[in-house]
Protein backbone atom coordinates (compact mmCIF):
# COMPACT_ATOMS: atom_id res chain seq x y z
CA UNK A 1 0.00 0.00 0.00
CA UNK A 2 1.53 3.29 -1.08
CA UNK A 3 -1.36 5.68 -0.31
CA UNK A 4 -1.42 6.35 3.42
CA UNK A 5 -2.69 8.94 5.91
CA UNK A 6 -0.86 10.21 9.00
CA UNK A 7 -3.00 11.56 11.84
CA UNK A 8 -1.94 13.43 14.96
CA UNK A 9 -3.35 11.59 17.98
CA UNK A 10 -4.70 14.22 20.38
CA UNK A 11 -7.95 14.40 22.31
CA UNK A 12 -9.42 17.29 20.36
CA UNK A 13 -11.45 17.73 17.22
CA UNK A 14 -10.62 19.91 14.23
CA UNK A 15 -7.14 18.43 13.71
CA UNK A 16 -7.37 18.68 9.94
CA UNK A 17 -7.65 22.47 10.13
CA UNK A 18 -5.30 22.86 13.09
CA UNK A 19 -1.70 24.01 13.14
CA UNK A 20 1.45 23.06 15.07
CA UNK A 21 3.99 25.22 16.85
CA UNK A 22 6.50 23.63 14.46
CA UNK A 23 4.88 25.61 11.63
CA UNK A 24 3.05 22.64 10.11
CA UNK A 25 -0.53 23.32 9.07
CA UNK A 26 -2.99 20.43 9.45
CA UNK A 27 -2.89 17.40 11.71
CA UNK A 28 -4.19 14.95 9.08
CA UNK A 29 -2.00 14.49 6.00
CA UNK A 30 -1.77 12.09 3.05
CA UNK A 31 1.64 10.48 2.54
CA UNK A 32 3.15 8.34 -0.19
CA UNK A 33 6.55 7.30 1.14
CA UNK A 34 8.45 6.48 4.35
CA UNK A 35 10.41 9.71 3.88
CA UNK A 36 7.22 11.80 3.88
CA UNK A 37 5.99 9.93 6.96
CA UNK A 38 9.24 10.62 8.78
CA UNK A 39 9.26 14.30 7.82
CA UNK A 40 5.65 14.95 8.86
CA UNK A 41 5.96 12.88 12.04
CA UNK A 42 8.96 14.96 13.10
CA UNK A 43 6.82 18.11 12.77
CA UNK A 44 3.98 16.59 14.81
CA UNK A 45 5.61 14.53 17.56
CA UNK A 46 6.74 16.55 20.55
CA UNK A 47 4.94 19.64 19.27
CA UNK A 48 1.71 21.35 20.27
CA UNK A 49 -1.28 21.39 17.95
CA UNK A 50 -3.83 24.18 18.11
CA UNK A 51 -7.42 23.64 16.96
CA UNK A 52 -10.76 25.27 17.72
CA UNK A 53 -11.22 22.70 20.50
CA UNK A 54 -7.80 22.84 22.21
CA UNK A 55 -7.96 26.42 23.44
CA UNK A 56 -5.02 28.80 23.33
CA UNK A 57 -2.74 26.40 25.23
CA UNK A 58 -2.97 23.69 22.54
CA UNK A 59 -2.41 19.95 23.01
CA UNK A 60 0.85 18.02 23.05
CA UNK A 61 1.11 15.50 20.23
CA UNK A 62 2.88 12.40 21.54
CA UNK A 63 1.54 9.85 19.06
CA UNK A 64 0.70 9.63 15.37
CA UNK A 65 -1.47 7.08 13.60
CA UNK A 66 -0.61 5.88 10.08
CA UNK A 67 -3.40 4.13 8.17
CA UNK A 68 -4.28 3.07 4.66
CA UNK A 69 -5.95 5.79 2.65
CA UNK A 70 -9.50 4.95 1.59
CA UNK A 71 -11.27 6.59 -1.33
CA UNK A 72 -14.66 7.73 -0.16
CA UNK A 73 -17.89 7.71 -2.13
CA UNK A 74 -20.09 9.31 0.55
CA UNK A 75 -19.58 10.64 4.08
CA UNK A 76 -22.04 10.40 6.97
CA UNK A 77 -22.23 11.38 10.62
CA UNK A 78 -23.23 8.89 13.34
CA UNK A 79 -23.30 9.30 17.12
CA UNK A 80 -24.84 7.70 20.19
CA UNK A 81 -25.32 9.96 23.21
CA UNK A 82 -26.96 9.76 26.61
CA UNK A 83 -29.89 12.19 26.55
CA UNK A 84 -31.41 13.36 29.84
CA UNK A 85 -34.63 14.51 28.18
CA UNK A 86 -35.14 11.09 26.60
CA UNK A 87 -33.85 9.33 29.75
CA UNK A 88 -31.68 7.04 27.68
CA UNK A 89 -29.50 6.70 24.57
CA UNK A 90 -30.26 8.69 21.45
CA UNK A 91 -28.75 8.09 18.02
CA UNK A 92 -27.95 11.27 16.09
CA UNK A 93 -27.10 10.79 12.44
CA UNK A 94 -26.81 12.75 9.21
CA UNK A 95 -26.10 12.18 5.55
CA UNK A 96 -23.83 15.23 5.76
CA UNK A 97 -20.73 13.88 7.50
CA UNK A 98 -17.06 14.75 7.50
CA UNK A 99 -17.82 18.33 8.55
CA UNK A 100 -18.63 20.20 11.76
CA UNK A 101 -21.99 18.70 12.78
CA UNK A 102 -22.89 21.83 14.76
CA UNK A 103 -22.77 23.81 11.50
CA UNK A 104 -25.04 21.27 9.83
CA UNK A 105 -27.51 21.52 12.72
CA UNK A 106 -27.52 25.32 12.48
CA UNK A 107 -27.68 25.66 8.70
CA UNK A 108 -29.66 22.56 7.69
CA UNK A 109 -31.41 21.07 10.75
CA UNK A 110 -33.64 18.80 8.64
CA UNK A 111 -30.47 16.90 7.67
CA UNK A 112 -30.16 15.66 11.27
CA UNK A 113 -31.93 12.39 12.14
CA UNK A 114 -32.59 11.51 15.81
CA UNK A 115 -33.57 8.04 16.98
CA UNK A 116 -34.24 7.40 20.70
CA UNK A 117 -33.41 3.84 21.77
CA UNK A 118 -35.36 1.96 24.45
CA UNK A 119 -32.80 0.64 26.94
CA UNK A 120 -34.89 -2.48 27.59
CA UNK A 121 -35.48 -3.36 23.94
CA UNK A 122 -32.19 -2.17 22.46
CA UNK A 123 -31.59 -1.24 18.82
CA UNK A 124 -33.49 -3.67 16.62
CA UNK A 125 -32.43 -4.69 13.11
CA UNK A 126 -35.61 -3.10 11.76
CA UNK A 127 -34.82 0.26 13.41
CA UNK A 128 -31.19 0.11 12.24
CA UNK A 129 -32.28 -0.61 8.65
CA UNK A 130 -34.81 2.22 8.83
CA UNK A 131 -32.05 4.60 9.89
CA UNK A 132 -29.83 3.39 7.05
CA UNK A 133 -32.70 4.10 4.63
CA UNK A 134 -33.14 7.64 5.97
CA UNK A 135 -29.42 8.32 5.53
CA UNK A 136 -29.47 7.08 1.92
CA UNK A 137 -27.65 3.73 2.12
CA UNK A 138 -28.74 1.25 -0.57
CA UNK A 139 -27.99 -2.35 -1.55
CA UNK A 140 -25.33 -4.22 0.40
CA UNK A 141 -24.20 -0.94 2.00
CA UNK A 142 -27.63 -0.66 3.65
CA UNK A 143 -27.23 -4.00 5.42
CA UNK A 144 -23.62 -3.26 6.34
CA UNK A 145 -24.57 0.14 7.75
CA UNK A 146 -27.39 -1.38 9.84
CA UNK A 147 -25.00 -4.02 11.17
CA UNK A 148 -22.47 -1.30 12.07
CA UNK A 149 -25.14 0.71 13.93
CA UNK A 150 -26.14 -2.34 16.00
CA UNK A 151 -22.52 -3.23 16.84
CA UNK A 152 -21.76 0.35 17.90
CA UNK A 153 -24.85 0.39 20.11
CA UNK A 154 -23.81 -2.87 21.79
CA UNK A 155 -20.35 -1.38 22.35
CA UNK A 156 -21.94 1.76 23.81
CA UNK A 157 -23.78 -0.31 26.43
CA UNK A 158 -21.05 -2.87 27.13
CA UNK A 159 -18.38 -0.24 27.86
CA UNK A 160 -20.51 2.26 29.81
CA UNK A 161 -20.00 4.91 27.17
CA UNK A 162 -21.55 8.36 27.36
CA UNK A 163 -20.69 9.20 23.75
CA UNK A 164 -19.71 7.39 20.60
CA UNK A 165 -19.18 9.69 17.64
CA UNK A 166 -18.16 8.50 14.18
CA UNK A 167 -17.33 11.36 11.84
CA UNK A 168 -17.06 10.47 9.13
CA UNK A 169 -18.82 7.15 8.73
CA UNK A 170 -18.25 6.42 5.04
CA UNK A 171 -19.22 4.32 2.11
CA UNK A 172 -16.04 3.65 0.13
CA UNK A 173 -15.73 3.50 -3.64
CA UNK A 174 -16.11 -0.30 -3.42
CA UNK A 175 -19.28 0.09 -1.27
CA UNK A 176 -17.77 -0.86 2.10
CA UNK A 177 -19.12 0.91 5.19
CA UNK A 178 -16.27 2.03 7.44
CA UNK A 179 -15.70 4.13 10.56
CA UNK A 180 -12.98 6.53 9.48
CA UNK A 181 -12.66 8.60 12.65
CA UNK A 182 -14.08 8.17 16.14
CA UNK A 183 -14.49 9.96 19.44
CA UNK A 184 -15.46 7.98 22.55
CA UNK A 185 -16.47 9.20 26.00
CA UNK A 186 -16.94 6.95 29.03
CA UNK A 187 -18.70 7.32 32.36
CA UNK A 188 -16.08 8.04 35.06
CA UNK A 189 -18.26 6.18 37.56
CA UNK A 190 -17.68 2.96 35.58
CA UNK A 191 -13.93 3.00 36.21
CA UNK A 192 -14.21 0.08 38.64
CA UNK A 193 -15.66 -2.28 36.00
CA UNK A 194 -14.06 -0.91 32.85
CA UNK A 195 -10.41 -1.28 33.81
CA UNK A 196 -9.40 -2.14 30.23
CA UNK A 197 -10.89 1.11 28.94
CA UNK A 198 -9.53 3.37 31.67
CA UNK A 199 -6.06 1.83 31.41
CA UNK A 200 -5.84 3.58 28.02
CA UNK A 201 -6.21 7.00 29.63
CA UNK A 202 -3.50 9.51 28.69
CA UNK A 203 -3.15 12.22 31.38
CA UNK A 204 -0.93 14.30 29.08
CA UNK A 205 -4.04 15.02 26.99
CA UNK A 206 -6.01 16.33 29.96
CA UNK A 207 -6.00 19.59 31.88
CA UNK A 208 -3.16 19.13 34.40
CA UNK A 209 -5.26 20.90 37.04
CA UNK A 210 -8.02 18.34 36.64
CA UNK A 211 -5.49 15.50 36.84
CA UNK A 212 -4.07 16.96 40.06
CA UNK A 213 -7.57 17.47 41.49
CA UNK A 214 -8.42 13.83 40.91
CA UNK A 215 -5.35 12.75 42.88
CA UNK A 216 -6.76 14.59 45.89
CA UNK A 217 -10.35 13.43 45.33
CA UNK A 218 -11.51 16.91 44.36
CA UNK A 219 -14.06 17.63 41.66
CA UNK A 220 -12.52 20.34 39.48
CA UNK A 221 -13.36 21.71 36.04
CA UNK A 222 -11.41 24.64 34.62
CA UNK A 223 -13.37 27.52 33.07
CA UNK A 224 -12.48 30.82 31.39
CA UNK A 225 -13.35 33.37 34.10
CA UNK A 226 -11.30 35.30 36.66
CA UNK A 227 -12.88 34.30 39.99
CA UNK A 228 -11.72 31.10 41.61
CA UNK A 229 -14.38 29.12 43.52
CA UNK A 230 -13.98 26.63 46.35
CA UNK A 231 -17.27 25.15 47.51
CA UNK A 232 -18.57 21.98 49.16
CA UNK A 233 -21.37 20.24 47.28
CA UNK A 234 -22.09 20.30 43.56
CA UNK A 235 -25.43 22.10 43.93
CA UNK A 236 -23.96 24.85 46.09
CA UNK A 237 -21.02 25.13 43.68
CA UNK A 238 -23.38 25.67 40.74
CA UNK A 239 -25.38 28.24 42.71
CA UNK A 240 -22.18 30.05 43.66
CA UNK A 241 -21.10 30.23 40.04
CA UNK A 242 -24.55 31.54 39.05
CA UNK A 243 -24.54 34.31 41.64
CA UNK A 244 -21.04 35.38 40.59
CA UNK A 245 -22.35 35.69 37.01
CA UNK A 246 -25.39 37.60 38.32
CA UNK A 247 -23.06 40.22 39.78
CA UNK A 248 -21.13 40.61 36.53
CA UNK A 249 -18.23 38.28 37.24
CA UNK A 250 -17.11 35.05 35.60
CA UNK A 251 -16.09 31.88 37.50
CA UNK A 252 -12.64 30.51 36.73
CA UNK A 253 -13.55 27.00 37.79
CA UNK A 254 -16.00 24.56 39.28
CA UNK A 255 -14.44 23.07 42.42
CA UNK A 256 -16.37 20.85 44.82
CA UNK A 257 -14.28 19.66 47.79
CA UNK A 258 -17.02 17.27 48.90
CA UNK A 259 -18.38 16.71 52.38
CA UNK A 260 -15.37 15.22 54.14
CA UNK A 261 -12.32 17.12 52.90
CA UNK A 262 -9.29 17.50 55.14
CA UNK A 263 -7.24 20.64 55.73
CA UNK A 264 -4.61 19.19 53.39
CA UNK A 265 -7.18 18.73 50.61
CA UNK A 266 -8.33 22.32 51.06
CA UNK A 267 -4.72 23.45 50.77
CA UNK A 268 -4.25 21.40 47.59
CA UNK A 269 -7.46 22.87 46.19
CA UNK A 270 -6.01 26.35 46.60
CA UNK A 271 -2.84 25.27 44.86
CA UNK A 272 -4.94 24.23 41.87
CA UNK A 273 -6.93 27.48 41.87
CA UNK A 274 -3.82 29.65 42.21
CA UNK A 275 -2.05 27.79 39.39
CA UNK A 276 -4.47 29.51 36.99
CA UNK A 277 -2.76 32.78 36.03
CA UNK A 278 -6.12 34.25 35.02
CA UNK A 279 -7.55 34.12 38.55
CA UNK A 280 -7.70 37.57 40.14
CA UNK A 281 -9.81 36.79 43.24
CA UNK A 282 -11.32 33.76 44.95
CA UNK A 283 -14.54 32.98 46.80
CA UNK A 284 -14.83 30.22 49.40
CA UNK A 285 -18.44 29.23 50.10
CA UNK A 286 -18.83 26.47 52.68
CA UNK A 287 -22.05 25.22 54.23
CA UNK A 288 -20.85 22.87 56.93
CA UNK A 289 -22.80 19.70 57.54
CA UNK A 290 -20.45 16.77 57.56
CA UNK A 291 -17.81 19.26 56.40
CA UNK A 292 -16.55 21.21 59.43
CA UNK A 293 -15.92 24.93 59.04
CA UNK A 294 -12.87 24.83 61.34
CA UNK A 295 -11.22 22.24 59.06
CA UNK A 296 -11.88 24.46 56.05
CA UNK A 297 -10.53 27.51 57.89
CA UNK A 298 -7.33 25.69 58.81
CA UNK A 299 -6.91 24.58 55.19
CA UNK A 300 -7.36 28.16 54.00
CA UNK A 301 -4.81 29.46 56.49
CA UNK A 302 -2.28 26.76 55.56
CA UNK A 303 -2.77 27.47 51.84
CA UNK A 304 -2.37 31.25 52.16
CA UNK A 305 0.83 30.84 54.18
CA UNK A 306 2.34 28.08 52.05
CA UNK A 307 1.51 29.69 48.70
CA UNK A 308 1.98 33.30 49.79
CA UNK A 309 -1.37 33.92 48.12
CA UNK A 310 -1.53 37.36 46.52
CA UNK A 311 -5.12 37.42 45.27
CA UNK A 312 -7.95 38.74 47.49
CA UNK A 313 -9.91 36.00 49.20
CA UNK A 314 -13.56 36.25 50.24
CA UNK A 315 -14.74 33.57 52.68
CA UNK A 316 -18.28 32.63 53.63
CA UNK A 317 -18.61 29.96 56.31
CA UNK A 318 -21.89 28.61 57.67
CA UNK A 319 -22.82 25.48 59.59
CA UNK A 320 -20.88 23.01 61.72
CA UNK A 321 -18.18 24.61 63.90
CA UNK A 322 -18.62 27.95 62.14
CA UNK A 323 -17.61 29.96 65.24
CA UNK A 324 -14.43 27.94 65.64
CA UNK A 325 -13.66 28.45 61.94
CA UNK A 326 -14.17 32.20 62.12
CA UNK A 327 -12.00 32.38 65.23
CA UNK A 328 -9.14 30.60 63.47
CA UNK A 329 -9.31 33.04 60.55
CA UNK A 330 -9.57 36.13 62.78
CA UNK A 331 -6.58 35.06 64.87
CA UNK A 332 -4.44 34.04 61.87
CA UNK A 333 -3.44 37.59 60.99
CA UNK A 334 -4.15 36.85 57.31
CA UNK A 335 -5.98 39.41 55.17
CA UNK A 336 -9.17 37.51 54.36
CA UNK A 337 -12.50 39.15 53.61
CA UNK A 338 -15.16 37.35 55.69
CA UNK A 339 -18.79 37.64 54.63
CA UNK A 340 -21.82 35.76 55.99
CA UNK A 341 -24.24 36.76 53.22
CA UNK A 342 -23.68 34.94 49.90
CA UNK A 343 -25.14 37.73 47.78
CA UNK A 344 -22.85 40.29 49.39
CA UNK A 345 -19.89 37.90 49.19
CA UNK A 346 -20.41 37.45 45.45
CA UNK A 347 -20.74 41.20 44.92
CA UNK A 348 -17.56 41.79 46.94
CA UNK A 349 -15.44 39.19 45.18
CA UNK A 350 -16.47 40.56 41.75
CA UNK A 351 -15.44 44.08 42.78
CA UNK A 352 -12.14 42.85 44.25
CA UNK A 353 -11.48 40.88 41.07
CA UNK A 354 -12.06 43.98 38.95
CA UNK A 355 -9.62 46.00 41.08
CA UNK A 356 -6.95 43.28 40.95
CA UNK A 357 -7.37 42.75 37.20
CA UNK A 358 -7.04 46.49 36.53
CA UNK A 359 -3.91 46.66 38.67
CA UNK A 360 -2.39 43.68 36.84
CA UNK A 361 -3.05 45.31 33.47
CA UNK A 362 -1.06 48.41 34.39
CA UNK A 363 1.68 46.43 36.09
CA UNK A 364 0.83 47.42 39.65
CA UNK A 365 0.68 44.94 42.52
CA UNK A 366 -2.41 45.68 44.59
CA UNK A 367 -2.45 44.37 48.16
CA UNK A 368 -5.99 44.73 49.48
CA UNK A 369 -6.98 44.59 53.14
CA UNK A 370 -9.94 45.30 55.38
CA UNK A 371 -10.46 48.94 56.35
Amino acid sequence: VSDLVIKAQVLAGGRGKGHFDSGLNGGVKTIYSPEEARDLASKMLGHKIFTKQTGASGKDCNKVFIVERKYVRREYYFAILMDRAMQGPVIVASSQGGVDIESVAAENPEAIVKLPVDLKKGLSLESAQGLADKLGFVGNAREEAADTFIKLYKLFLAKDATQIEINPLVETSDHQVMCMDAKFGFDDNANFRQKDVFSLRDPTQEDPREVQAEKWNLNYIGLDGQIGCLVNGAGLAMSTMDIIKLHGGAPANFLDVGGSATAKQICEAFKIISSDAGVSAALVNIFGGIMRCDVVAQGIIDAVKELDLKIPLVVRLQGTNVDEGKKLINESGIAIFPCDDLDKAADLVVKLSDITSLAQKVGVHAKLSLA
Side-chain angles (χ1 to χ4, degrees):
V1 178
S2 58
D3 287 13
L4 300 169
V5 176
I6 183 170
K7 296 183 175 184
Q9 297 296 284
V10 294
L11 293 182
R15 291 168 298 166
K17 295 181 179 179
H19 65 278
F20 289 85
D21 58 11
S22 64
L24 178 67
N25 288 319
V28 180
K29 296 284 191 179
T30 53
I31 51 176
Y32 303 96
S33 69
E35 291 73 27
E36 278 186 285
R38 188 180 299 110
D39 178 58
L40 287 171
S42 69
K43 296 174 182 177
M44 294 181 180
L45 293 170
H47 293 281
K48 284 187 180 292
I49 184 172
F50 302 87
T51 77
K52 62 181 180 181
Q53 291 188 13
T54 64
S57 59
K59 290 277 188 183
D60 291 323
C61 178
N62 300 318
K63 298 177 183 177
V64 295
F65 190 32
I66 297 177
V67 294
E68 179 184 354
R69 182 182 183 184
K70 290 290 184 179
Y71 291 88
V72 175
R73 182 171 177 267
R74 293 187 64 184
E75 293 184 320
Y76 305 84
Y77 175 89
F78 179 88
I80 309 173
L81 309 166
M82 290 301 293
D83 189 291
R84 288 183 182 272
M86 299 292 184
Q87 298 184 348
V90 173
I91 293 175
V92 179
S94 176
S95 58
Q96 298 182 23
V99 295
D100 181 2
I101 195 63
E102 288 82 4
S103 298
V104 175
E107 298 168 10
N108 189 16
E110 60 273 13
I112 306 290
V113 178
K114 293 185 179 180
L115 176 64
V117 182
D118 189 314
L119 271 171
K120 294 181 179 179
K121 296 179 181 178
L123 180 61
S124 67
L125 177 61
E126 182 181 5
S127 295
Q129 289 172 334
L131 179 61
D133 290 335
K134 289 180 180 179
L135 295 179
F137 287 100
V138 295
N140 290 336
R142 173 182 182 264
E143 301 307 316
E144 197 173 336
D147 182 59
T148 299
F149 300 158
I150 291 171
K151 287 177 177 175
L152 286 170
Y153 180 75
K154 288 180 178 178
L155 178 65
F156 180 85
L157 290 186
K159 295 300 182 181
D160 290 300
T162 55
Q163 173 193 41
I164 287 181
E165 183 183 60
I166 311 297
N167 189 24
L169 174 77
V170 305
E171 181 183 349
T172 64
S173 56
D174 56 354
H175 304 290
Q176 288 183 295
V177 175
M178 302 186 73
C179 300
M180 300 288 278
D181 205 285
K183 180 190 294 182
F184 285 64
F186 301 93
D187 188 342
D188 290 336
N189 295 310
N191 190 345
F192 73 98
R193 66 181 179 197
Q194 300 293 350
K195 297 295 184 184
D196 58 332
V197 171
F198 284 85
S199 67
L200 301 173
R201 183 177 176 183
D202 182 0
T204 66
Q205 293 296 305
E206 302 176 37
D207 186 327
R209 298 169 299 177
E210 294 180 15
V211 174
Q212 187 67 16
E214 187 174 346
K215 289 181 182 178
W216 290 96
N217 200 28
L218 302 168
N219 298 307
Y220 176 92
I221 300 173
L223 302 172
D224 297 327
Q226 300 80 39
I227 299 172
C229 304
L230 190 153
V231 189
N232 68 317
L236 187 60
M238 296 296 288
S239 300
T240 302
M241 293 163 64
D242 286 343
I243 201 165
I244 287 172
K245 292 284 287 184
L246 185 66
H247 284 278
N253 63 271
F254 169 97
L255 202 163
D256 169 20
V257 298
S260 57
T262 64
K264 179 62 176 173
Q265 284 175 294
I266 300 296
C267 185
E268 293 299 324
F270 269 104
K271 287 182 182 179
I272 295 168
I273 291 173
S274 62
S275 69
D276 184 346
V279 172
S280 54
L283 172 61
V284 177
N285 185 19
I286 297 295
F287 186 83
I290 301 172
M291 181 82 252
R292 290 165 36 196
C293 292
D294 56 328
V295 172
V296 175
Q298 189 60 57
I300 293 170
I301 294 166
D302 293 345
V304 172
K305 290 180 177 178
E306 182 179 340
L307 301 174
D308 190 23
L309 209 61
K310 302 295 186 185
I311 59 173
L313 184 59
V314 178
V315 177
R316 175 182 181 262
L317 299 177
Q318 294 291 335
T320 305
N321 289 4
V322 63
D323 292 333
E324 291 88 338
K326 288 180 178 179
K327 182 180 179 182
L328 283 170
I329 289 175
N330 291 336
E331 294 177 354
S332 68
I334 295 172
I336 292 174
F337 297 84
C339 193
D340 291 339
D341 184 277
L342 178 56
D343 189 62
K344 292 179 180 177
D347 181 55
L348 176 60
V349 78
V350 170
K351 290 176 179 176
L352 291 172
S353 173
D354 290 342
I355 294 169
T356 306
S357 296
L358 182 61
Q360 289 172 345
K361 286 179 182 178
V362 297
V364 174
H365 173 62
K367 187 174 181 179
L368 306 176
S369 61
L370 291 168

